[in-house]
Amino acid sequence: MDHASARLTPLPPADRREPGELFGNGFTLFADMLLVGLVTALSCLPVVTAPAAFAAASATLRDGASGTAPVTAAGYLRRLRARLTGGSLAAGLLPPLLVVVVLLDAALVRGALPGAALVAPALALTVLAAAVVALRATALDAPHQLSGRVSLARSLGDPRGSALLAAAVVLAALLAWAVPLLVPLLPGPLALAATAVEIRSAGVTKPA
């Protein structure tokens, strides 16, 4: 009886691919991350589209991991269009403003002002914390997409997840500094890290 059942239930081939998928199952996660990283980097070029681009990356990777939909460039672009709203574009103005503030503060630190030795590490920690909160905001699922308030609450309520995401940000920064050619691919690992942290913490911290 068992042998008959085995013959009636064929196993799926190891190299079976869904329509639109570029790689076989053995390299799915790595390939998805590279594809999402590249299209996210291209989508971030206008700068103000960065929040929507990372939110689309997170949604694409989440759907791919759950089996809801394969990870494809067309699927990513469809999710990106849905997230290009006035609110997301307004949020996209924050990173350039933060860069300007950081550059001004860095110039003051280099000016050998009193307390510069304390300002420099405080500035670095502030930028890192802002990056963590921003990434967690882009990884939020509906109905809290790109919510800064919910993201801040999740960041404070899940310090372990925030520390893991901070480590991912630091590692990405080191890779960008050491191997600049990897910069177009780095949004993929960052979006994957943010998505994994969000899925992990969803049952730990409930938004108010």
Side-chain angles (χ1 to χ4, degrees), residues 43-109:
S43 301
C44 287
L45 289 178
V47 180
V48 293
T49 57
F54 271 88
S58 178
T60 301
L61 291 171
R62 182 186 291 108
D63 288 347
S66 64
T68 304
V71 175
T72 64
Y76 172 90
L77 293 175
R78 184 175 64 253
R79 295 177 181 89
L80 176 62
R81 285 194 297 269
R83 287 162 176 78
L84 283 175
T85 63
S88 70
L89 294 176
L93 295 174
L94 295 178
L97 292 176
L98 179 61
V99 169
V100 171
V101 171
V102 169
L103 291 177
L104 290 176
D105 288 344
L108 293 176
V109 169

Side-chain angles (χ1 to χ4, degrees), residues 128-180:
L128 182 59
V132 169
V133 174
L135 282 173
R136 294 194 74 142
T138 62
L140 291 172
D141 203 356
H144 304 291
Q145 292 174 352
L146 295 175
S147 171
R149 180 180 63 84
V150 174
S151 174
L152 181 60
R154 292 280 178 91
S155 300
L156 296 176
D158 179 29
R160 175 180 288 186
S162 297
L164 292 173
L165 193 51
V169 172
V170 172
L171 180 59
L174 291 175
L175 287 174
W177 173 75
V179 190

